[in-house]
Amino acid sequence: MTYKGDSPTELQTLLENKKYRILKETLSEMNEVDIASFIEELDTEQVLLVFRLLPKDLALDVFACLPIEHMEHIINSIGDMELRDMIEDLYTDDVMDMLEELPATMVKRVIQTATPATRSIINQYLNYPENSAGSIMTAEYVALKKNMTVEQSLNYIRQHGVNKETIYTCYVTNIHRKLEGVITLKNLVMSPSNAIIADIMDEHVMKATTTEDPEEIAYRFNKYNLLSLPVVDHENRIVGIITVDDVMSVLEQETTEDFEKMAAMLPSEKPYLKTSVFTLAKNRILWLLVLMVSSMITGGILASYEEAFAVLPLLVSFIPMLTGTGGNAGSQSSTLVIRGMTLNEIRPKDIFKVVFKEFRVGLLCGIALAAVNYIRLIIFYPGQELICLTVVLSLLLTIIMAKCVGCMLPIGAKKLHLDPAIMAAPLISTIVDAFSLIIYFQIACALLHI
Amino acid sequence: MTYKGDSPTELQTLLENKKYRILKETLSEMNEVDIASFIEELDTEQVLLVFRLLPKDLALDVFACLPIEHMEHIINSIGDMELRDMIEDLYTDDVMDMLEELPATMVKRVIQTATPATRSIINQYLNYPENSAGSIMTAEYVALKKNMTVEQSLNYIRQHGVNKETIYTCYVTNIHRKLEGVITLKNLVMSPSNAIIADIMDEHVMKATTTEDPEEIAYRFNKYNLLSLPVVDHENRIVGIITVDDVMSVLEQETTEDFEKMAAMLPSEKPYLKTSVFTLAKNRILWLLVLMVSSMITGGILASYEEAFAVLPLLVSFIPMLTGTGGNAGSQSSTLVIRGMTLNEIRPKDIFKVVFKEFRVGLLCGIALAAVNYIRLIIFYPGQELICLTVVLSLLLTIIMAKCVGCMLPIGAKKLHLDPAIMAAPLISTIVDAFSLIIYFQIACALLHI
């Protein structure tokens, strides 16, 4: 929780002038996250130098915040004994995050260097699938026993709590590690010291299973205002805990992925500026290709009405307005529905409610836009009432159609167990384009007798 | 933290069969959030009945989770004494959330009923601007004094901690309420009971000011893994705290707003299904109109090349593919840049780095898509090499242009202190449409000598 406003440039100056003693003192007063940001910008040889200046406990916290290249460099520069101590003291979730990114040979070294107990936990954790509760939990929680008194519990926490990820929620387990209850440190502090845990614990424990989706867990944290949640295996044995800070990272990452998917990209793993041009291009080409090919269908539809606009080229000039408005109207609906489903506010069974709502919204929006357009058209194209009518009518129908497609597509995707963000959002404008052209030219042919 | 899987239908059955004793027992074992969800679905007269069944403390927690209509109904049905007790026991942030939505006459009654101390806090909090740290903080924190021992502090917490929003982070203040340090309950529990707070507290306190943007604060919680943050006025006096659960709600809401703004909508205040058709339409019409009018410019550009496609109607059929791909390529870039700026990963000063990166990404994507297109074109339109070349060249240039516009627009908006989500994302496709048509017809006129 320490925070000090020393800017990286001041620290840089201290480092360049070799004022290591002052640098060391300044760093020891700083927050680990800020120290890591400072180290991140340094050259490889400076990284180790600064890292060595940190007091042991702080060094460990800083290490957990560093980018993988720096972790690699530090691990490669220290001996097995030191590495073992570090692995021992790091939280399991930080070790697992690191192992996920390290090259295979280094993963091997880390696992071989660890103590047998830690090695067995690491191996257990490595088995949990990516993007599961098991992959984000940590093993450092406080486990109490039913028959302990409050005083015994507090003494236990004093002895074993230092290295726990949180001591604010303690879990009560039996000898088989099965979860029997939960008690907060607040309850412990507020209760008389001779009270028995079994009498004051809460037996209705909210918990997650190892295979659960982290995003679902994140929304549960938010709904119930949780600080931590135990994770159990299929025999109700506690295997780890998830804390609120992990959950905030999950939410941030999932949100970024949703944004990327809705803009027709494969999700990226790193921040934008750290992603290579090649990876960025690779993440985008697939969907651009898919959408390009589908827009060729729209082109084909357009080509089939070639005669119509050969007779009346003016018709073409309204196409961008129609398809553009349709696309916008559709993506408004799909965005609201996709977000609503992410937040569990809209469920697939609400489909009729949603479509009826969107139909009415489309009607209102359509009438408003058509009216504005009609005024513009009779001013700019006097005497061409039929063309005006064609455009206005097409606009109204396009907007209603776009709203309905925009809400049905994501709900449909969800029903088919597809990801609505990727399956619906990027496709909306292509689909709406095609339909709106058909609407437009059908009306044009009928009204204008082409 | 209690959780019980009783489904709302079971509870409903108990209620309908008037099994109030069993219903009462069942409810008293449940989590307040789940009880609130159950009450939310009930008829007005049932709401009060079920609310009366709850034990006092639980009733208060449930009340804070109810939608505003039910709060209104309950407040209207209880006497002043009972209302006073409730206001007294609710957390200030919950009271403020409620007051924000209640009709003016009820706000007046709540304030008049409150005790003088609470009334003065409410009046102070009412002065903080909407969407500021002041508007999401709460007044129930633990304040310790420097000269207290650990034992005295723990005793103080035992006496006063029950109604605090959190006791896990305690703030050390002087007699003028100025913030001097911070100490966690973990530190207190781990320290010898005769240690003096001044010696063990952390003096570098991370804090927010009352006017700070909640979204910025949310990202700070995430960056530093905070559980709570004190809020101070301009004289460094603590006026409230923000806890991590408030911050998660802020993040969720801000993310939803970003999604809405990027899909060209005014942000809504309520979940989709609870928003009226009229409000939904109102939130969408403005931007649809703006974008419709700007797409008329595109239509005008198209009309100015009327001669070109009168000579060669085939040209028209490639327009959806070109503008569609351009729009998609542009919104990929703008989405990444807007999200990157939200997460503070991209700053306006990175503009050259970003544009150069997007230029190269555009080149790679453009070449790939142009190649695929070229193969398709020489198969479907044999002997029309110049048209193929026109389309392929336009596609390449359009994608590069779209990528550059897509990243410059949001950064430019940020530099002008406009909201990138609303100022850039919806406009991208309209702007890209116009440019891509100009590129296309300029190349067509040059190559095909129209």
Side-chain angles (χ1 to χ4, degrees):
Chain A
M1 272 286 289
T2 322
Y3 182 71
K4 220 177 159 197
D6 291 284
S7 73
T9 31
E10 283 171 44
L11 296 172
Q12 189 71 51
T13 316
L14 288 175
L15 181 62
E16 273 159 21
N17 298 337
K18 302 199 171 157
K19 305 220 162 154
Y20 299 133
R21 212 177 50 82
I22 309 178
L23 181 61
K24 184 176 176 168
E25 271 171 29
T26 316
L27 287 173
S28 69
E29 297 278 293
M30 278 173 63
N31 180 289
E32 64 267 19
V33 179
D34 295 319
I35 301 175
S37 307
F38 166 61
I39 293 183
E40 210 174 307
E41 304 295 322
L42 299 178
D43 304 331
T44 324
E45 50 296 14
Q46 290 177 318
V47 168
L48 207 69
L49 186 108
V50 174
F51 188 72
R52 289 280 187 217
L53 289 178
L54 300 171
K56 193 174 164 256
D57 284 354
L58 187 58
L60 200 73
D61 293 339
V62 170
F63 181 82
C65 302
L66 286 176
I68 192 70
E69 312 84 65
H70 290 0
M71 285 184 173
E72 275 189 57
H73 178 60
I74 291 171
I75 292 176
N76 280 332
S77 317
I78 62 179
D80 280 354
M81 283 301 290
E82 205 176 341
L83 180 59
R84 171 184 304 201
D85 288 352
M86 266 179 53
I87 302 298
E88 208 56 30
D89 290 346
L90 278 169
Y91 291 130
T92 313
D93 56 347
D94 292 329
V95 174
M96 298 316 292
D97 285 349
M98 181 180 80
L99 291 182
E100 214 170 84
E101 293 189 73
L102 281 183
T105 50
M106 292 184 69
V107 171
K108 216 173 149 189
R109 182 176 163 223
V110 168
I111 294 178
Q112 282 174 344
T113 316
T115 61
T118 306
R119 196 184 310 147
S120 120
I121 291 179
I122 292 178
N123 282 324
Q124 180 196 349
Y125 272 50
L126 281 174
N127 283 325
Y128 296 118
E130 231 183 292
N131 205 30
S132 69
S135 72
I136 58 165
M137 67 187 183
T138 196
E140 292 77 16
Y141 55 87
V142 176
L144 302 175
K145 295 281 166 262
K146 252 173 143 172
N147 55 359
M148 284 171 133
T149 63
V150 165
E151 195 178 356
Q152 286 169 332
S153 302
L154 286 173
N155 282 333
Y156 178 87
I157 293 172
R158 271 185 208 108
Q159 278 165 39
H160 299 92
V162 184
N163 290 318
K164 302 304 180 193
E165 174 106 36
T166 182
I167 62 167
Y168 298 143
T169 310
C170 305
Y171 300 98
V172 184
T173 55
N174 70 9
I175 47 162
H176 304 295
R177 279 201 294 132
K178 289 206 183 175
L179 193 56
E180 298 185 312
V182 62
I183 186 158
T184 62
L185 186 59
K186 184 170 180 174
N187 291 147
L188 284 174
V189 168
M190 297 295 185
S191 300
S193 55
N194 58 351
I196 304 293
I197 297 295
D199 301 332
I200 53 174
M201 72 181 191
D202 188 342
E203 287 171 25
H204 306 293
V205 191
M206 251 187 241
K207 58 202 169 193
T209 53
T210 50
T211 49
E212 232 174 293
D213 179 3
E215 197 173 357
E216 290 297 320
I217 292 173
Y219 287 106
R220 203 145 22 122
F221 266 79
N222 201 356
K223 182 174 176 191
Y224 295 104
N225 293 340
L226 305 177
L227 290 180
S228 62
L229 192 68
V231 182
V232 296
D233 63 13
H234 54 278
E235 290 177 63
N236 198 31
R237 283 180 309 213
I238 182 166
V239 285
I241 58 165
I242 294 173
T243 48
V244 68
D245 54 310
D246 303 320
V247 155
M248 285 187 77
S249 308
V250 167
L251 272 186
E252 188 177 293
Q253 204 186 325
E254 295 283 341
T255 305
T256 303
E257 283 187 14
D258 277 353
F259 272 113
E260 289 169 337
K261 287 188 277 187
M262 286 170 75
M265 284 173 280
L266 303 180
S268 58
E269 306 221 318
K270 289 184 190 176
Y272 176 82
L273 288 176
K274 296 198 176 159
T275 312
S276 72
V277 169
F278 185 73
T279 309
L280 284 173
K282 203 186 64 185
N283 288 343
R284 300 186 198 176
I285 284 178
L286 179 69
W287 271 98
L288 283 182
L289 271 175
V290 171
L291 295 173
M292 184 179 77
V293 171
S294 36
S295 68
M296 288 172 185
I297 299 167
T298 319
I301 294 171
L302 206 46
S304 71
Y305 292 105
E306 205 173 285
E307 277 174 39
F309 56 79
V311 177
L312 207 59
L314 180 61
L315 282 182
V316 175
S317 70
F318 299 112
I319 291 179
M321 190 266 292
L322 273 176
T323 56
T325 306
N328 292 324
S331 69
Q332 287 180 334
S333 308
S334 66
T335 301
L336 281 185
V337 171
I338 292 170
R339 181 70 185 157
M341 290 198 299
T342 307
L343 299 179
N344 288 324
E345 290 168 2
I346 299 175
R347 286 151 299 180
K349 72 180 172 71
D350 297 320
I351 185 161
F352 296 110
K353 243 189 268 180
V354 174
V355 173
F356 182 51
K357 201 157 201 172
E358 286 303 306
F359 173 79
R360 287 174 295 164
V361 173
L363 198 66
L364 284 178
C365 292
I367 291 172
L369 267 72
V372 172
N373 231 309
Y374 188 72
I375 295 168
R376 183 189 84 107
L377 290 173
I378 53 168
I379 294 170
F380 283 91
Y381 303 93
Q384 311 229 30
E385 282 79 15
L386 279 180
I387 291 190
C388 297
L389 194 62
T390 303
V391 172
V392 165
L393 209 57
S394 306
L395 186 64
L396 175 63
L397 293 180
T398 293
I399 292 175
I400 296 176
M401 174 272 298
K403 292 285 177 206
C404 295
V405 171
C407 67
M408 283 189 287
L409 214 56
I411 300 183
K414 180 98 174 185
K415 280 205 172 177
L416 296 172
H417 301 286
L418 298 169
D419 184 343
I422 188 73
M423 290 317 297
L427 289 172
I428 292 288
S429 59
T430 313
I431 294 175
V432 167
D433 273 8
F435 281 134
S436 58
L437 287 177
I438 295 175
I439 292 174
Y440 182 43
F441 282 104
Q442 284 304 114
I443 294 178
C445 291
L447 286 183
L448 305 168
H449 308 292
I450 306 171
Chain B
M1 275 284 289
T2 322
Y3 182 70
K4 222 179 158 197
D6 292 286
S7 73
T9 30
E10 283 170 44
L11 297 171
Q12 189 72 51
T13 315
L14 289 176
L15 181 60
E16 273 160 22
N17 297 337
K18 302 201 169 153
K19 305 219 160 154
Y20 298 132
R21 211 176 51 82
I22 308 177
L23 181 61
K24 185 177 177 169
E25 269 170 32
T26 316
L27 288 172
S28 69
E29 297 278 293
M30 279 173 63
N31 181 289
E32 63 268 20
V33 179
D34 295 319
I35 301 176
S37 307
F38 165 61
I39 293 185
E40 211 173 304
E41 304 295 321
L42 298 179
D43 303 333
T44 324
E45 49 294 16
Q46 290 178 318
V47 168
L48 207 70
L49 184 104
V50 173
F51 188 72
R52 289 280 186 218
L53 291 179
L54 300 171
K56 192 171 165 257
D57 284 353
L58 187 58
L60 199 73
D61 293 339
V62 170
F63 181 80
C65 301
L66 286 176
I68 192 71
E69 311 85 64
H70 290 2
M71 285 184 172
E72 275 189 57
H73 177 60
I74 291 171
I75 292 177
N76 280 331
S77 316
I78 61 178
D80 280 354
M81 283 302 289
E82 204 177 342
L83 180 60
R84 172 184 303 200
D85 287 350
M86 266 180 52
I87 302 299
E88 207 57 29
D89 290 345
L90 278 169
Y91 291 131
T92 313
D93 55 347
D94 292 330
V95 175
M96 300 314 293
D97 285 349
M98 180 180 80
L99 291 182
E100 216 170 81
E101 293 189 73
L102 281 182
T105 49
M106 291 184 70
V107 171
K108 216 173 149 189
R109 180 176 164 222
V110 168
I111 295 178
Q112 281 174 346
T113 316
T115 62
T118 305
R119 194 185 310 147
S120 120
I121 291 180
I122 292 178
N123 281 324
Q124 181 197 347
Y125 272 49
L126 281 174
N127 283 325
Y128 297 119
E130 230 183 296
N131 206 30
S132 69
S135 73
I136 59 165
M137 67 187 183
T138 196
E140 293 76 15
Y141 55 88
V142 176
L144 302 175
K145 295 281 165 261
K146 252 173 143 170
N147 55 1
M148 283 171 134
T149 62
V150 165
E151 195 178 355
Q152 288 170 332
S153 302
L154 287 173
N155 282 333
Y156 178 87
I157 293 172
R158 271 185 208 109
Q159 278 165 38
H160 300 91
V162 184
N163 290 318
K164 303 304 180 192
E165 173 107 35
T166 182
I167 62 167
Y168 297 142
T169 310
C170 305
Y171 300 98
V172 185
T173 56
N174 71 9
I175 48 164
H176 304 295
R177 278 201 295 133
K178 289 203 183 177
L179 193 56
E180 296 186 313
V182 63
I183 186 158
T184 61
L185 185 60
K186 183 171 182 174
N187 291 146
L188 285 175
V189 168
M190 297 292 185
S191 301
S193 56
N194 59 351
I196 305 292
I197 296 296
D199 300 331
I200 53 173
M201 73 182 189
D202 189 341
E203 288 171 22
H204 305 293
V205 191
M206 250 188 241
K207 58 201 169 193
T209 54
T210 50
T211 50
E212 232 173 292
D213 179 3
E215 196 173 359
E216 290 298 319
I217 291 174
Y219 286 105
R220 206 150 12 125
F221 264 78
N222 201 355
K223 182 175 176 189
Y224 295 105
N225 292 341
L226 305 176
L227 290 180
S228 63
L229 192 69
V231 183
V232 297
D233 63 14
H234 55 278
E235 290 177 64
N236 198 29
R237 283 181 306 215
I238 182 166
V239 285
I241 58 165
I242 294 173
T243 48
V244 68
D245 54 309
D246 304 321
V247 155
M248 285 187 76
S249 308
V250 167
L251 272 186
E252 186 177 291
Q253 202 185 327
E254 295 284 339
T255 305
T256 303
E257 283 187 13
D258 277 354
F259 273 111
E260 288 169 338
K261 287 189 278 189
M262 287 171 74
M265 283 173 281
L266 303 180
S268 59
E269 307 221 319
K270 289 185 192 174
Y272 176 82
L273 288 177
K274 296 199 175 160
T275 312
S276 71
V277 169
F278 185 74
T279 310
L280 285 173
K282 203 185 65 186
N283 288 341
R284 302 187 197 176
I285 283 178
L286 180 71
W287 271 100
L288 283 182
L289 270 175
V290 171
L291 295 173
M292 185 179 77
V293 171
S294 37
S295 68
M296 288 171 185
I297 300 167
T298 318
I301 294 173
L302 205 47
S304 72
Y305 291 107
E306 204 173 288
E307 277 174 40
F309 56 78
V311 178
L312 207 60
L314 180 61
L315 281 181
V316 175
S317 72
F318 298 113
I319 292 179
M321 191 266 292
L322 273 176
T323 55
T325 306
N328 292 325
S331 68
Q332 286 180 334
S333 308
S334 66
T335 301
L336 280 185
V337 170
I338 292 171
R339 181 68 184 159
M341 291 199 297
T342 307
L343 298 180
N344 288 324
E345 289 168 3
I346 299 177
R347 285 151 302 180
K349 73 180 172 67
D350 296 320
I351 184 159
F352 297 110
K353 241 188 273 179
V354 174
V355 174
F356 182 50
K357 201 156 201 172
E358 285 303 307
F359 174 78
R360 288 174 294 165
V361 173
L363 199 65
L364 285 179
C365 292
I367 291 171
L369 267 71
V372 172
N373 232 308
Y374 188 72
I375 295 168
R376 183 188 83 107
L377 290 173
I378 52 167
I379 294 171
F380 283 91
Y381 305 92
Q384 312 230 31
E385 282 80 15
L386 279 180
I387 291 189
C388 296
L389 193 61
T390 304
V391 173
V392 164
L393 209 57
S394 305
L395 185 64
L396 175 63
L397 292 179
T398 294
I399 291 175
I400 296 176
M401 175 274 298
K403 291 285 177 205
C404 295
V405 171
C407 67
M408 283 190 287
L409 215 57
I411 301 183
K414 181 97 174 186
K415 280 206 171 174
L416 295 172
H417 301 285
L418 297 169
D419 184 341
I422 189 74
M423 292 316 296
L427 288 171
I428 293 288
S429 60
T430 313
I431 295 175
V432 166
D433 272 8
F435 281 133
S436 58
L437 286 177
I438 295 175
I439 292 174
Y440 181 43
F441 282 104
Q442 283 305 115
I443 293 178
C445 290
L447 286 184
L448 306 169
H449 308 292
I450 305 171

PDB file of all heavy atoms in Angstrom, chain B residues 157-169:
ATOM      1  N   ILE B 157     -11.801  -1.361  17.475  1.00  0.00           N
ATOM      2  CA  ILE B 157     -12.462  -1.999  16.335  1.00  0.00           C
ATOM      3  C   ILE B 157     -13.597  -2.906  16.805  1.00  0.00           C
ATOM      4  O   ILE B 157     -14.681  -2.922  16.222  1.00  0.00           O
ATOM      5  CB  ILE B 157     -11.434  -2.800  15.491  1.00  0.00           C
ATOM      6  CG1 ILE B 157     -10.454  -1.831  14.831  1.00  0.00           C
ATOM      7  CG2 ILE B 157     -12.135  -3.649  14.439  1.00  0.00           C
ATOM      8  CD1 ILE B 157      -9.287  -2.502  14.132  1.00  0.00           C
ATOM      9  N   ARG B 158     -13.359  -3.642  17.912  1.00  0.00           N
ATOM     10  CA  ARG B 158     -14.420  -4.518  18.439  1.00  0.00           C
ATOM     11  C   ARG B 158     -15.651  -3.715  18.803  1.00  0.00           C
ATOM     12  O   ARG B 158     -16.777  -4.147  18.579  1.00  0.00           O
ATOM     13  CB  ARG B 158     -13.909  -5.278  19.668  1.00  0.00           C
ATOM     14  CG  ARG B 158     -13.254  -6.575  19.296  1.00  0.00           C
ATOM     15  CD  ARG B 158     -12.834  -7.425  20.473  1.00  0.00           C
ATOM     16  NE  ARG B 158     -11.693  -8.225  20.027  1.00  0.00           N
ATOM     17  CZ  ARG B 158     -10.447  -8.053  20.412  1.00  0.00           C
ATOM     18  NH1 ARG B 158     -10.144  -7.125  21.312  1.00  0.00           N
ATOM     19  NH2 ARG B 158      -9.479  -8.793  19.910  1.00  0.00           N
ATOM     20  N   GLN B 159     -15.428  -2.515  19.366  1.00  0.00           N
ATOM     21  CA  GLN B 159     -16.569  -1.702  19.798  1.00  0.00           C
ATOM     22  C   GLN B 159     -17.256  -0.997  18.634  1.00  0.00           C
ATOM     23  O   GLN B 159     -18.471  -0.832  18.618  1.00  0.00           O
ATOM     24  CB  GLN B 159     -16.108  -0.643  20.799  1.00  0.00           C
ATOM     25  CG  GLN B 159     -15.983  -1.169  22.218  1.00  0.00           C
ATOM     26  CD  GLN B 159     -15.193  -0.215  23.082  1.00  0.00           C
ATOM     27  OE1 GLN B 159     -15.324   0.998  22.944  1.00  0.00           O
ATOM     28  NE2 GLN B 159     -14.361  -0.754  23.940  1.00  0.00           N
ATOM     29  N   HIS B 160     -16.468  -0.525  17.679  1.00  0.00           N
ATOM     30  CA  HIS B 160     -17.047   0.335  16.643  1.00  0.00           C
ATOM     31  C   HIS B 160     -17.075  -0.275  15.250  1.00  0.00           C
ATOM     32  O   HIS B 160     -17.567   0.341  14.323  1.00  0.00           O
ATOM     33  CB  HIS B 160     -16.274   1.664  16.571  1.00  0.00           C
ATOM     34  CG  HIS B 160     -16.302   2.437  17.844  1.00  0.00           C
ATOM     35  ND1 HIS B 160     -15.345   2.304  18.822  1.00  0.00           N
ATOM     36  CD2 HIS B 160     -17.192   3.329  18.337  1.00  0.00           C
ATOM     37  CE1 HIS B 160     -15.622   3.088  19.839  1.00  0.00           C
ATOM     38  NE2 HIS B 160     -16.747   3.728  19.570  1.00  0.00           N
ATOM     39  N   GLY B 161     -16.513  -1.478  15.137  1.00  0.00           N
ATOM     40  CA  GLY B 161     -16.305  -2.019  13.790  1.00  0.00           C
ATOM     41  C   GLY B 161     -17.533  -2.620  13.130  1.00  0.00           C
ATOM     42  O   GLY B 161     -17.579  -2.749  11.907  1.00  0.00           O
ATOM     43  N   VAL B 162     -18.550  -2.995  13.916  1.00  0.00           N
ATOM     44  CA  VAL B 162     -19.675  -3.753  13.351  1.00  0.00           C
ATOM     45  C   VAL B 162     -20.300  -3.036  12.154  1.00  0.00           C
ATOM     46  O   VAL B 162     -20.596  -3.648  11.135  1.00  0.00           O
ATOM     47  CB  VAL B 162     -20.767  -3.986  14.420  1.00  0.00           C
ATOM     48  CG1 VAL B 162     -21.873  -4.860  13.848  1.00  0.00           C
ATOM     49  CG2 VAL B 162     -20.173  -4.639  15.638  1.00  0.00           C
ATOM     50  N   ASN B 163     -20.484  -1.741  12.286  1.00  0.00           N
ATOM     51  CA  ASN B 163     -21.187  -1.016  11.224  1.00  0.00           C
ATOM     52  C   ASN B 163     -20.266  -0.369  10.191  1.00  0.00           C
ATOM     53  O   ASN B 163     -20.700   0.470   9.416  1.00  0.00           O
ATOM     54  CB  ASN B 163     -22.097   0.041  11.832  1.00  0.00           C
ATOM     55  CG  ASN B 163     -23.263  -0.597  12.534  1.00  0.00           C
ATOM     56  OD1 ASN B 163     -23.842  -1.550  12.006  1.00  0.00           O
ATOM     57  ND2 ASN B 163     -23.570  -0.122  13.719  1.00  0.00           N
ATOM     58  N   LYS B 164     -18.994  -0.724  10.208  1.00  0.00           N
ATOM     59  CA  LYS B 164     -18.084  -0.134   9.226  1.00  0.00           C
ATOM     60  C   LYS B 164     -18.133  -0.932   7.926  1.00  0.00           C
ATOM     61  O   LYS B 164     -18.267  -2.151   7.954  1.00  0.00           O
ATOM     62  CB  LYS B 164     -16.644  -0.117   9.755  1.00  0.00           C
ATOM     63  CG  LYS B 164     -16.471   0.633  11.083  1.00  0.00           C
ATOM     64  CD  LYS B 164     -16.968   2.055  11.009  1.00  0.00           C
ATOM     65  CE  LYS B 164     -16.765   2.762  12.348  1.00  0.00           C
ATOM     66  NZ  LYS B 164     -17.466   4.037  12.421  1.00  0.00           N
ATOM     67  N   GLU B 165     -17.992  -0.255   6.837  1.00  0.00           N
ATOM     68  CA  GLU B 165     -18.032  -0.928   5.527  1.00  0.00           C
ATOM     69  C   GLU B 165     -16.857  -1.907   5.418  1.00  0.00           C
ATOM     70  O   GLU B 165     -16.995  -2.991   4.873  1.00  0.00           O
ATOM     71  CB  GLU B 165     -17.983   0.105   4.402  1.00  0.00           C
ATOM     72  CG  GLU B 165     -17.843  -0.471   3.017  1.00  0.00           C
ATOM     73  CD  GLU B 165     -19.114  -0.391   2.176  1.00  0.00           C
ATOM     74  OE1 GLU B 165     -19.860   0.588   2.297  1.00  0.00           O
ATOM     75  OE2 GLU B 165     -19.346  -1.329   1.399  1.00  0.00           O
ATOM     76  N   THR B 166     -15.697  -1.530   5.924  1.00  0.00           N
ATOM     77  CA  THR B 166     -14.593  -2.479   6.025  1.00  0.00           C
ATOM     78  C   THR B 166     -13.797  -2.174   7.282  1.00  0.00           C
ATOM     79  O   THR B 166     -13.677  -1.016   7.687  1.00  0.00           O
ATOM     80  CB  THR B 166     -13.653  -2.429   4.800  1.00  0.00           C
ATOM     81  OG1 THR B 166     -12.630  -3.429   4.977  1.00  0.00           O
ATOM     82  CG2 THR B 166     -12.967  -1.080   4.646  1.00  0.00           C
ATOM     83  N   ILE B 167     -13.259  -3.228   7.919  1.00  0.00           N
ATOM     84  CA  ILE B 167     -12.359  -2.994   9.054  1.00  0.00           C
ATOM     85  C   ILE B 167     -10.960  -3.467   8.676  1.00  0.00           C
ATOM     86  O   ILE B 167     -10.038  -3.411   9.467  1.00  0.00           O
ATOM     87  CB  ILE B 167     -12.829  -3.721  10.338  1.00  0.00           C
ATOM     88  CG1 ILE B 167     -12.838  -5.242  10.125  1.00  0.00           C
ATOM     89  CG2 ILE B 167     -14.202  -3.240  10.758  1.00  0.00           C
ATOM     90  CD1 ILE B 167     -12.974  -6.014  11.423  1.00  0.00           C
ATOM     91  N   TYR B 168     -10.819  -3.932   7.424  1.00  0.00           N
ATOM     92  CA  TYR B 168      -9.556  -4.548   7.035  1.00  0.00           C
ATOM     93  C   TYR B 168      -8.475  -3.520   6.741  1.00  0.00           C
ATOM     94  O   TYR B 168      -7.297  -3.817   6.793  1.00  0.00           O
ATOM     95  CB  TYR B 168      -9.766  -5.500   5.853  1.00  0.00           C
ATOM     96  CG  TYR B 168     -10.678  -6.651   6.232  1.00  0.00           C
ATOM     97  CD1 TYR B 168     -11.624  -7.163   5.352  1.00  0.00           C
ATOM     98  CD2 TYR B 168     -10.591  -7.221   7.503  1.00  0.00           C
ATOM     99  CE1 TYR B 168     -12.449  -8.212   5.719  1.00  0.00           C
ATOM    100  CE2 TYR B 168     -11.426  -8.271   7.877  1.00  0.00           C
ATOM    101  CZ  TYR B 168     -12.352  -8.756   6.982  1.00  0.00           C
ATOM    102  OH  TYR B 168     -13.170  -9.789   7.355  1.00  0.00           O
ATOM    103  N   THR B 169      -8.875  -2.314   6.391  1.00  0.00           N
ATOM    104  CA  THR B 169      -7.911  -1.228   6.270  1.00  0.00           C
ATOM    105  C   THR B 169      -8.377  -0.116   7.204  1.00  0.00           C
ATOM    106  O   THR B 169      -9.520   0.335   7.100  1.00  0.00           O
ATOM    107  CB  THR B 169      -7.843  -0.709   4.826  1.00  0.00           C
ATOM    108  OG1 THR B 169      -7.675  -1.823   3.954  1.00  0.00           O
ATOM    109  CG2 THR B 169      -6.671   0.231   4.662  1.00  0.00           C
TER     110      THR B 169
END
